[in-house]
């Protein structure tokens, strides 16, 4: 690895840094975007049961808020459960925007790394070729070893940039799609809560957790 870093030139260091940051973000996002942690099973049904038994007090709502991302959204609606449907929906939407921002945390950074690392590799290619042409101008083409060094630097940086960018882009797309699905599922659960709390339906009418 050290030999590759040295052979690729100084641009290998920012590429290596990008790979470390990307790996850290991927690990963190896998942990943070666990579905069961974001959307506990049958949360709306449990809230409805607490409401029917008149146990849905401020302490219970605080527990729901701290328990998960979905709980944070639903708690905003529960605080306004004695107001109209529109007030509940607006409160949930306001909190939902903050929750979505948390779910999308670091994804822009991941996307930026996927876009930047090929450019760093390309820059290494350009610098390597400049070095090759500089050698040709000074010594001609009679020293293939010197020429090979510049070409090798160009190829190493390009390959390294692509090696980081390709998996990073794949993980970025994966997490972006995962967040979109979680958002849709949480919106469904929020609508379910509004309807059961406003008396439009019973919690059991919806079946299991989406």
């Amino acid at each position: 690895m050290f030999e590759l870093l040295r052979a690729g030139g100084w641009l290998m260091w920012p590429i290596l840094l990008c790979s470390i940051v990307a790996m850290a973000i991927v690990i963190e996002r896998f942990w943070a975007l666990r579905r069961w942690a974001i959307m506990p099973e049958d949360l709306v049904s449990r809230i409805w049961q607490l409401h029917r038994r008149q146990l849905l007090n401020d302490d219970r709502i605080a527990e729901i808020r701290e328990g998960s991302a979905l709980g944070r959204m639903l708690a905003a609606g529960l605080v306004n459960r004695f107001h109209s449907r529109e007030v509940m929906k607006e409160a949930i939407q306001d909190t939902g925007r903050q929750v979505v921002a948390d779910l999308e945390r670091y994804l822009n950074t991941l996307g930026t790394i996927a876009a930047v690392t090929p450019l760093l590799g390309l820059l290494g290619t350009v610098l390597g070729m400049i070095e090759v042409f500089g050698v040709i101008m000074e010594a001609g083409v009679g020293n293939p070893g010197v020429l090979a060094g510049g070409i090798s630097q160009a190829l190493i940086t390009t390959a390294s940039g692509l090696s980081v960018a390709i998996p990073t882009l794949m993980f970025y797309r994966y997490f972006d799609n995962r967040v979109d699905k979680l958002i849709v599922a949480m919106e469904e659960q929020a609508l379910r809560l509004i309807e059961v709390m406003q008396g439009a339906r019973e919690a059991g009418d919806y079946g299991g957790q989406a």
Side-chain angles (χ1 to χ4, degrees):
M1 175 64 82
F2 179 76
E3 290 298 324
L4 283 175
L5 290 173
R6 187 174 63 178
W10 65 271
L11 277 170
M12 290 293 292
W13 293 102
I15 292 175
L16 176 63
L17 178 61
C18 286
S19 70
I20 294 172
V21 173
M23 183 179 298
I25 292 174
V26 167
I27 294 172
E28 189 276 340
R29 288 292 86 188
F30 266 120
W31 177 260
L33 296 179
R34 295 164 297 160
R35 184 181 178 90
W36 63 266
I38 293 173
M39 298 181 57
E41 189 74 17
D42 295 328
L43 180 58
V44 174
S45 297
R46 283 185 275 140
I47 291 173
W48 173 244
Q49 293 300 322
L50 291 172
H51 177 69
R52 291 183 62 182
R53 290 182 287 172
Q54 298 182 346
L55 298 175
L56 195 59
N57 52 35
D58 292 342
D59 291 337
R60 294 282 190 173
I61 294 175
E63 291 177 5
I64 293 169
R65 180 184 296 111
E66 297 299 324
S68 63
L70 177 61
R72 184 177 166 192
M73 287 177 58
L74 300 185
L78 293 174
V79 171
N80 297 278
R81 63 190 181 279
F82 299 119
H83 294 81
S84 67
R85 174 191 179 94
E86 288 72 23
V87 172
M88 282 189 68
K89 186 175 182 179
E90 183 177 352
I92 290 174
Q93 288 175 340
D94 289 342
T95 303
R97 283 189 283 270
Q98 301 172 16
V99 171
V100 169
D102 289 340
L103 295 179
E104 293 177 340
R105 184 181 300 169
Y106 306 130
L107 291 190
N108 283 338
T109 302
L110 204 61
T112 300
I113 291 173
V116 166
T117 46
L119 297 179
L120 291 173
L122 178 60
L123 179 58
T125 299
V126 172
L127 293 178
M129 297 309 296
I130 290 173
E131 180 180 338
V132 169
F133 285 114
V135 170
I136 292 175
M137 290 178 63
E138 292 180 4
V141 294
N143 191 345
V146 176
L147 298 178
I151 296 173
S152 175
Q153 175 180 335
L155 295 178
I156 289 173
T157 54
T158 300
S160 299
L162 292 175
S163 297
V164 174
I166 292 171
T168 300
L169 180 60
M170 293 175 63
F171 280 117
Y172 170 75
R173 295 296 186 189
Y174 169 77
F175 288 128
D176 187 58
N177 182 62
R178 186 173 182 83
V179 168
D180 287 343
K181 290 182 178 179
L182 287 170
I183 291 171
V184 170
M186 287 193 293
E187 287 175 348
E188 292 175 351
Q189 294 302 304
L191 178 61
R192 177 185 176 193
L193 176 75
I194 293 172
E195 293 191 353
V196 298
M197 296 301 293
Q198 292 294 328
R201 300 195 184 196
E202 292 287 334
D205 293 342
Y206 289 87
Q209 178 90 355

